Amino acid sequence: MTGPINEFEKRLMESAEATETLLASLLSGTCLPGEISRPATLLAAMRHGTLNGGKRLRPFLVLESAAMLGGDPQAAARIGAALECVHCYSLIHDDLPAMDDDDMRRGQPTVHRAFDEASAILAGDSLLTYAFDIIAAPETMLPDRQKTELVLALARASGLGGMAGGQALDLAAEKAAPDEAGIVTLQAMKTGALLRFACEAGAIAAGRGPEDRQRLRDFGEKIGLAFQLADDLLDITADAATMGKATGKDAARGKGTLVALYGAAWAEERLAVLAQEASDLISGYGDKAVILQAAAHFIADRKS
Amino acid sequence: MTGPINEFEKRLMESAEATETLLASLLSGTCLPGEISRPATLLAAMRHGTLNGGKRLRPFLVLESAAMLGGDPQAAARIGAALECVHCYSLIHDDLPAMDDDDMRRGQPTVHRAFDEASAILAGDSLLTYAFDIIAAPETMLPDRQKTELVLALARASGLGGMAGGQALDLAAEKAAPDEAGIVTLQAMKTGALLRFACEAGAIAAGRGPEDRQRLRDFGEKIGLAFQLADDLLDITADAATMGKATGKDAARGKGTLVALYGAAWAEERLAVLAQEASDLISGYGDKAVILQAAAHFIADRKS
């Protein structure tokens, strides 16, 4: 089989490898100007929580969005690595005993199990901080205007009004189940915000104006919805070995999801619609859009 | 009594009030563009850990460094607020059971005692994220070049190679006491890095070049050393009521400090030398330097 899906899978794999290499180099023991020392145990905890061979979907979306719009691939790669630092920090903190209390992640012990809780908290803090370092650093060859826009957009996507706020809502949802609107807000914040940023970041890195930025944000929002819906579906259908983490936990905790409200058949239909809507949003970019369009279908169809 | 010390105390008090007002406004329930919602409990936890009437020494140093070099006071105030968010996040996380396990802070229950551990972790994460938001936001009226420099300098001062790394070394020091060089590195990272950034940030906000930036960094380094030495001295001489937190904890944990190594008399002498050296570093700025010079002496002499 050839065509966009095959090309998509090849590029996803290549991008995952490139992200892994870049993250390993950023998380080496070499101090950058202004750093006093890099404590070995903390660095090891950061590496454990980051260099674990994930799909690197968020960096891939930054890279491909930038590529579609003519952005510099090296700058996009660094923004992708920064975003992955934020994603990995959030996983490390979410796994803590005071939060989701998970022992395994991607088939490995979570950071607080492999090290200890204090190291996991500090590794998360340091990865979050490092994300902004990576964007602002001179090695990211972008005009300062674009760096400022990226810092602001990443902070808004990650903080109180985005991902971290979504995790707070998610914890609250264990005590009082949210209604449908509450579930949608929670998921848009917890999972959607970073995926939306990934796509918008590509447009910022390419120096595009508000129209392209908004279009990529909308695209990111659609695939964010699809990603979460597929996740909720997998939580009730997949087994732990496929996922590399515990499954069925949401249902066991009585967490509300749209799948629980409307059923698996509805979810599968909705996923197909979301993938098509996402694809249509960027069809104006013509042939250059095929990889991102394939990504939208991949996210909606994913089995792990 | 009149003169610089008196004027210094007046300005320190005024700046603390202005910082409190600005932080309260930044931490209101109003969403900024790009935010989806501001979950009430998380926001309350962030406010609890931030709006507690501290001395706001770090914002004061940003403001006065900028003022000495002709920087815009409103931009400096926002940078000061951003830095205070980082400082407060670090206190919230350091107080957690897995770290220093403190119940009280500035005479109030710590965030994880007033709320819960998950809220404290997320409040810290969100404050750290918000710091970069505040600097990059359009309301901070600075050229993008200076914003990028501020983001980078703050990230390097706060992360793996600065404050967070210092906290990791501090936790490790409970298990294996560091030697003198180890203590110096630990303290330069854990406490010194943010104070150094505070002073350098004033120079960046004022649009000054590498020479002024370096001079303010050096000044910040001296007062950082003095701040930590005074803290270690207070830990063995002050009582908990004066400090608003537990005292004598470092000694009880067997943590090495320079005061423990060389004694209180040596420390007092060294404090006077550091204050003088800091003061001399900026004497070339003439009359404009008197407030920062008074600050150096205040930090070395502080009794709480």
Side-chain angles (χ1 to χ4, degrees):
Chain A
M1 192 184 111
T2 54
I5 290 284
N6 221 5
E7 172 70 9
F8 158 78
E9 284 180 354
K10 182 169 150 274
R11 286 173 78 143
L12 180 60
M13 224 161 61
E14 284 170 1
S15 132
E17 275 167 33
T19 297
E20 194 86 12
T21 305
L22 178 53
L23 284 169
S25 140
L26 288 164
L27 294 168
S28 75
T30 312
C31 280
L32 299 170
E35 290 184 334
I36 297 164
S37 83
R38 293 190 153 190
T41 306
L42 179 55
L43 182 62
M46 291 168 75
R47 291 174 65 91
H48 182 89
T50 311
L51 306 177
N52 44 24
K55 278 190 297 290
R56 312 300 186 188
L57 180 62
R58 290 157 195 79
F60 174 79
L61 290 170
V62 179
L63 279 166
E64 292 297 338
S65 299
M68 182 177 79
L69 300 170
D72 172 57
Q74 284 184 311
R78 286 183 60 91
I79 298 161
L83 176 53
E84 194 68 8
C85 286
V86 173
H87 175 56
C88 291
Y89 120 71
S90 78
L91 299 181
I92 296 170
H93 280 191
D94 287 3
D95 286 338
L96 284 166
M99 304 255 245
D100 295 348
D101 195 13
D102 277 309
D103 294 336
M104 298 293 282
R105 164 77 62 188
R106 288 177 183 156
Q108 295 290 323
T110 49
V111 177
H112 68 275
R113 299 291 291 174
F115 292 80
D116 54 33
E117 273 185 61
S119 298
I121 295 166
L122 289 169
D125 294 345
S126 301
L127 282 168
L128 170 57
T129 310
Y130 203 32
F132 296 102
D133 183 325
I134 294 169
I135 292 174
E139 289 77 8
T140 302
M141 306 283 273
L142 285 178
D144 290 306
R145 173 68 183 273
Q146 280 149 255
K147 289 186 182 184
T148 304
E149 289 174 351
L150 287 162
V151 167
L152 187 61
L154 179 58
R156 299 254 160 111
S158 312
L160 164 68
M163 184 188 66
Q167 173 68 359
L169 292 177
D170 201 29
L171 292 168
E174 288 182 32
K175 287 168 197 157
D179 59 11
E180 182 175 345
I183 295 170
V184 170
T185 300
L186 185 170
Q187 296 188 338
M189 294 174 78
K190 186 173 175 179
T191 327
L194 281 204
L195 291 165
R196 201 173 66 175
F197 169 80
C199 300
E200 185 182 11
I204 300 174
R208 293 299 183 112
E211 253 186 56
D212 287 310
R213 276 181 64 166
Q214 187 59 51
R215 194 170 294 116
L216 271 288
R217 278 172 72 87
D218 293 343
F219 174 80
E221 194 162 313
K222 294 282 182 202
I223 63 173
L225 289 168
F227 184 91
Q228 185 62 54
L229 205 53
D231 215 49
D232 292 340
L233 201 55
L234 284 166
D235 189 69
I236 59 165
T237 58
D239 61 27
T242 312
M243 295 294 281
K245 64 178 181 181
T247 53
K249 288 189 74 163
D250 294 348
R253 288 175 181 186
K255 272 190 194 175
T257 69
L258 297 182
V259 177
L261 280 180
Y262 296 113
W266 171 87
E268 284 180 13
E269 200 172 307
R270 177 94 181 111
L271 277 168
V273 171
L274 284 168
Q276 193 54 51
E277 287 177 352
S279 185
D280 290 347
L281 268 171
I282 55 171
S283 59
Y285 298 113
D287 283 356
K288 290 186 176 162
V290 293
I291 300 297
L292 279 185
Q293 287 172 325
H297 289 285
F298 168 81
I299 285 168
D301 295 342
R302 74 201 175 94
K303 299 286 174 260
S304 68
Chain B
M1 191 184 111
T2 54
I5 291 284
N6 220 5
E7 172 70 7
F8 158 78
E9 285 180 352
K10 182 169 150 274
R11 286 172 78 143
L12 180 59
M13 225 162 60
E14 284 169 1
S15 130
E17 276 167 32
T19 297
E20 194 85 12
T21 305
L22 178 53
L23 284 169
S25 139
L26 289 164
L27 294 168
S28 74
T30 313
C31 279
L32 298 170
E35 290 184 334
I36 296 164
S37 83
R38 291 190 154 191
T41 306
L42 178 56
L43 182 62
M46 290 168 76
R47 291 174 65 92
H48 182 89
T50 312
L51 306 176
N52 44 23
K55 281 191 294 289
R56 312 298 186 188
L57 180 62
R58 290 158 195 79
F60 174 79
L61 290 170
V62 179
L63 279 166
E64 292 297 338
S65 298
M68 183 178 80
L69 299 171
D72 172 56
Q74 284 184 311
R78 287 182 59 91
I79 299 161
L83 176 53
E84 195 68 8
C85 286
V86 173
H87 175 56
C88 291
Y89 121 70
S90 78
L91 299 180
I92 295 170
H93 281 190
D94 286 3
D95 286 338
L96 284 166
M99 304 255 245
D100 295 350
D101 195 12
D102 277 310
D103 294 335
M104 299 292 284
R105 165 75 63 187
R106 288 179 186 155
Q108 296 288 324
T110 48
V111 176
H112 67 275
R113 300 290 290 173
F115 293 79
D116 55 33
E117 274 185 60
S119 299
I121 295 166
L122 289 169
D125 293 344
S126 300
L127 282 168
L128 170 57
T129 309
Y130 204 32
F132 295 102
D133 183 324
I134 295 169
I135 292 174
E139 291 77 8
T140 302
M141 305 283 273
L142 285 178
D144 290 306
R145 172 69 184 274
Q146 280 149 256
K147 289 186 182 183
T148 304
E149 288 174 353
L150 286 162
V151 166
L152 186 61
L154 178 58
R156 299 255 159 110
S158 311
L160 164 69
M163 184 187 66
Q167 174 66 359
L169 292 177
D170 201 29
L171 291 168
E174 287 182 33
K175 288 168 197 158
D179 59 11
E180 183 175 344
I183 295 170
V184 170
T185 300
L186 184 169
Q187 296 189 338
M189 293 174 79
K190 185 174 175 177
T191 326
L194 282 203
L195 291 165
R196 200 173 67 175
F197 169 79
C199 301
E200 184 182 10
I204 300 175
R208 294 300 184 110
E211 254 186 55
D212 287 311
R213 277 182 64 165
Q214 188 59 51
R215 195 170 294 116
L216 269 289
R217 278 173 71 88
D218 293 344
F219 174 80
E221 192 162 316
K222 294 282 182 201
I223 63 174
L225 290 168
F227 184 90
Q228 185 62 53
L229 205 53
D231 215 49
D232 292 340
L233 201 54
L234 284 165
D235 190 69
I236 60 164
T237 58
D239 60 27
T242 311
M243 295 294 281
K245 64 177 181 181
T247 54
K249 289 189 73 163
D250 294 348
R253 289 175 179 183
K255 272 190 196 176
T257 69
L258 298 182
V259 178
L261 280 180
Y262 296 114
W266 171 88
E268 284 180 13
E269 201 172 306
R270 176 93 181 112
L271 277 167
V273 171
L274 284 168
Q276 194 54 50
E277 287 176 352
S279 184
D280 291 347
L281 269 171
I282 55 170
S283 59
Y285 299 112
D287 283 355
K288 291 185 174 161
V290 292
I291 300 295
L292 278 186
Q293 288 172 324
H297 289 285
F298 168 82
I299 285 168
D301 294 344
R302 75 201 174 95
K303 299 288 174 260
S304 69

